[in-house]
Amino acid sequence: MSGSNAASRLHGVGEPAVVALSLKDGTFWILARSSWHHDRTTRRSPKLERKLCSAYTKGKTLKDVRVRPMRVASSNAFVESIPESLKDFARMTRKLSLNIPEFNLKKADDLPIIMKGLSPKKLHEILRLCALVKLFEEEGISGVVDIGCGLGYIDELLEQRTKLKILGIESNEYRTEAATRRTKSVGRVFYRHLIIDGTSECLDSLSKLTENIFEPSTPLCLLGLHACGDLSPTMLKIFDGCASAEACIVVSCCYHRMDNNFPVSQGLKRRDIKISKTFLRIAAQESWEQWRKQNKILQSWNLFFRASLERFIKDFKVTAAKSRRKPLGTKNAGDIENFLRVGVRAYNSDEWEDHFIKWALTQTNFIDKIRILCVIQARIQNIAEHFVLLDRLAYLIEKGYHPRLVRLFDNEISPRSLAIVCSKHSETLANLAKTF
C-alpha cells in the first residue's frame, strides 16, 4: 500500500490494512504496512517516511500490530472518535499542570560567548543561568557557591561576565582537577572537592571553605545546575542554615535517585504522603514537548529492552555488569533482534546473550502495550515533577521565605527546565519578578 493510497483511504475511500494514528495539532501520522505518511491533507515527509518505514518493515513485531482501522474524514472526526475516558484523562492532566512563568530575558541567547566544546543544550542553559545570576549581582550578591559544578562551564562564563568571586564544589575529584586546569582566571574562581551529603561534617567543611574563599559577611548565592537526586533538597537546607547564603537558584534533576528527601515539607509529612520510585522516575523523564519529537519506535524498543533485561536477570539469575553508560542508540534500530543484541552486549553478556535474545523475542507482544504506557507517562510527567517541586517550595515557605518556581530554560531544549529561585530579602525577589 503506498503512502498516497493510505492517505486517500483514511479520508474515506475504503480502509487501510494497518493504520496507527496520533493527533498532534491537527496532524495525522499514518502508518500503513509498507509506508509512513505524514499528512496535513497533502504534505509528506519523505526522509522520515524512509527512516521509520524501514524500522517497522524490518521489525519482527509488525505482523503483531493490532490496531483497529478507522475511517475519518477530518481531524475533527478523529477527535470525536476518541473515547470519553481518554478525553477526561487529557483534560485532567491539563488541569493539574501548573502555569509556570518563564524567565523573560530576550537577549540571553544572543550574547556572544567565548567557550568551546559545548553542546547547544549546555550553551543555552549556562547563558540563561548566567543572566539570572547577573540580576542577583545587581541586587547585591557578591559571591557564588556552585554546588555540583562539574567542569565549571557556568563558572567560566560568570567570570567573563560578572565581578563575582566563585567557589565551585564538586564531589568528583577528577572533575575538580579538570575544572581547575581549564579555568583561566587568577584569583576569582576556585574549585574544591567535597561531597555534599547534608551531614554535620559536610556542613562544617563547607562553612570553612566559604570562610577561606570569601570575605566575612559576603552575601552569597547558592547555585545548582541539574543538582541530582538528594542534592537539590540538601541545597535548600544549606540555604536555610547558612547565614551568608542570601539567595539560591536550584535546577533539579534525577528525582528517582533521592533516598530520604521526599517529602521535605512538614505539610506533606503530616499527611504521610508516600510515592514510589516509579513516580519519581516519571518526574525525571523528558518533557512532553521533547517526547513529541522523539522516534516512538525507538522509544518503545528501548523501554522493552530494559524491562526484558531486568526480568531476564531476575528470573534466570544471571550476572550483568554494565560496561558502558549508554548501550543503545538510533543507529541500532534496523530490527528488534539487532536492537536487543547491540543493547545486551553492553552488559558483558557473552555467556547468556543468545538465551536472552531468544527469550526476549517471545515477549515482543508487549511492545504495543508499552507504546500506550509511554504516552500516558509522557502526559503525567510534568504533574509528577511539579508535585516534587511544590513540596520543596512548601519547605521554603514554611521557613518564612517567598520562593518562586520559574521556567528558566526552553523545555524543548532542556528536559529539566524549572528552577527554584529564592532570596532571603523579599524586595530582591520582587525586583527579579519583573523578569518572570
Side-chain angles (χ1 to χ4, degrees), residues 330-387:
T330 56
K331 64 181 180 181
N332 307 317
D335 59 60
I336 187 63
E337 180 175 349
N338 182 58
F339 188 87
L340 293 169
R341 195 171 294 280
V342 171
V344 78
R345 284 177 180 172
Y347 290 84
N348 298 319
S349 58
D350 293 349
E351 296 181 1
W352 46 269
E353 176 183 318
D354 290 337
H355 184 196
F356 168 73
I357 297 299
K358 183 177 180 180
W359 175 84
L361 290 176
T362 66
Q363 310 296 315
T364 54
N365 59 302
F366 286 102
I367 291 179
D368 287 335
K369 296 178 182 179
I370 287 174
R371 292 191 185 115
I372 296 171
L373 291 175
C374 285
V375 177
I376 295 173
Q377 287 185 351
R379 288 302 302 174
I380 66 174
Q381 180 279 324
N382 61 339
I383 298 172
E385 183 173 19
H386 295 172
F387 185 66

Side-chain angles (χ1 to χ4, degrees), residues 28-284:
F28 289 107
W29 288 101
I30 306 160
L31 173 69
R33 183 173 293 276
S34 61
S35 178
W36 184 282
H37 187 79
H38 175 205
D39 181 73
R40 193 175 296 201
T41 66
T42 58
R43 195 174 74 184
R44 294 174 63 102
S45 177
K47 183 177 179 180
L48 188 61
E49 177 180 329
R50 290 194 301 271
K51 184 177 180 181
L52 295 182
C53 172
S54 173
Y56 251 103
T57 55
K58 291 180 182 179
K60 295 187 177 181
T61 60
L62 178 61
K63 62 182 67 176
D64 298 323
V65 174
R66 295 179 178 86
V67 181
R68 181 172 60 85
M70 301 174 65
R71 297 179 61 182
V72 293
S74 66
S75 59
N76 288 336
F78 178 67
V79 171
E80 291 173 0
S81 69
I82 298 174
E84 282 302 318
S85 59
L86 186 56
K87 292 180 183 178
D88 289 341
F89 173 77
R91 284 191 287 265
M92 179 194 70
T93 57
R94 286 193 295 269
K95 182 178 179 180
L96 292 177
S97 298
L98 299 178
N99 183 19
I100 300 172
E102 296 188 9
F103 179 47
N104 183 22
L105 196 70
K106 297 180 181 179
K107 295 183 179 179
D109 292 336
D110 299 329
L111 296 171
I113 183 170
I114 308 173
M115 298 177 75
K116 296 181 180 180
L118 291 181
S119 67
K121 171 182 173 293
K122 191 70 173 181
L123 182 61
H124 169 77
E125 291 171 348
I126 67 171
L127 278 167
R128 295 187 67 80
L129 186 55
C130 177
L132 180 55
V133 173
K134 284 181 67 176
L135 294 180
F136 271 110
E137 182 184 26
E138 294 172 6
E139 295 294 325
I141 291 296
S142 301
V144 167
V145 180
D146 180 12
I147 297 180
C149 63
L151 296 178
Y153 292 113
I154 180 61
D155 308 320
E156 184 178 353
L157 188 61
L158 286 171
E159 181 207 7
Q160 294 174 13
R161 299 189 173 178
T162 72
K163 297 180 181 180
L164 299 167
K165 184 179 284 189
I166 303 153
L167 170 61
I169 302 294
E170 174 56 46
S171 63
N172 184 297
E173 289 191 72
Y174 168 78
R175 290 179 179 175
T176 306
E177 296 170 359
T180 302
R181 287 195 302 269
R182 60 181 299 280
T183 302
K184 301 179 178 62
S185 81
V186 178
R188 277 211 300 127
V189 180
F190 306 85
Y191 293 103
R192 298 292 185 268
H193 171 253
L194 181 64
I195 297 174
I196 303 295
D197 55 11
T199 62
S200 57
E201 293 81 3
C202 162
L203 298 180
D204 289 342
S205 298
L206 181 61
S207 178
K208 291 177 182 177
L209 283 176
T210 56
E211 289 173 3
N212 292 335
I213 299 296
F214 301 102
E215 296 295 327
S217 303
T218 299
L220 302 176
C221 175
L222 299 185
L223 185 62
L225 175 56
H226 298 152
C228 182
D230 289 312
L231 183 56
S232 287
T234 300
M235 283 186 64
L236 299 183
K237 295 174 183 177
I238 293 173
F239 167 72
D240 177 53
C242 180
S244 59
E246 295 195 4
C248 71
I249 305 170
V250 181
V251 181
S252 304
C253 71
C254 304
Y255 304 107
H256 57 291
R257 293 186 179 180
M258 288 192 296
D259 290 325
N260 302 306
N261 275 298
F262 187 91
V264 289
S265 68
Q266 292 301 317
L268 286 188
K269 286 180 179 178
R270 285 194 298 268
R271 290 169 174 79
D272 195 28
I273 299 294
K274 297 289 191 301
I275 58 175
S276 66
K277 284 288 185 182
T278 301
F279 181 89
L280 294 174
R281 187 174 289 278
I282 291 173

